[in-house]
Amino acid sequence: ARRVEPSTITCNAAISACDAVGGKWLETLELLGTMETRFIQKDTITYAVAITTCGWCSEWIVAMDLLRAMCASRIDLETTVCTA
């Protein structure tokens, strides 16, 4: 079996899957941590989906922390993120 190398795209897909299966917000945070330790760049999609997942699970403090982290990373806020 061929192994898929982690990248922004593959991590975003995994984070989106966590959102799609009912808001697995803890798993989303684990994936974000993996991206951090492996120096995988996060982008607007990464944060938008993670914030949405936390929001659906009523984890508002976590969602706000992610928004602050996004701003600190100097990633552009888009309408999608602000409405997440």
Side-chain angles (χ1 to χ4, degrees):
R2 227 172 86 171
R3 182 183 163 121
V4 176
E5 288 298 316
S7 68
T8 302
I9 294 169
T10 58
C11 288
N12 285 351
I15 291 169
S16 293
C18 289
D19 182 52
V21 296
K24 302 285 188 181
W25 70 277
L26 287 173
E27 289 82 352
T28 296
L29 294 182
E30 285 181 32
L31 286 164
L32 291 172
T34 298
M35 290 178 81
E36 190 73 30
T37 58
R38 292 187 177 209
F39 303 103
I40 298 169
Q41 185 174 359
K42 299 176 192 102
D43 61 12
T44 305
I45 296 168
T46 310
Y47 282 104
V49 177
I51 290 167
T52 299
T53 302
C54 292
W56 279 109
C57 296
S58 298
E59 294 297 331
W60 304 113
I61 294 172
V62 178
M64 290 303 296
D65 287 344
L66 290 172
L67 185 60
R68 279 190 280 279
M70 181 180 180
C71 292
S73 298
R74 300 191 188 271
I75 295 173
D76 289 333
L77 284 175
E78 292 181 4
T79 305
T80 352
V81 178
C82 294
T83 59

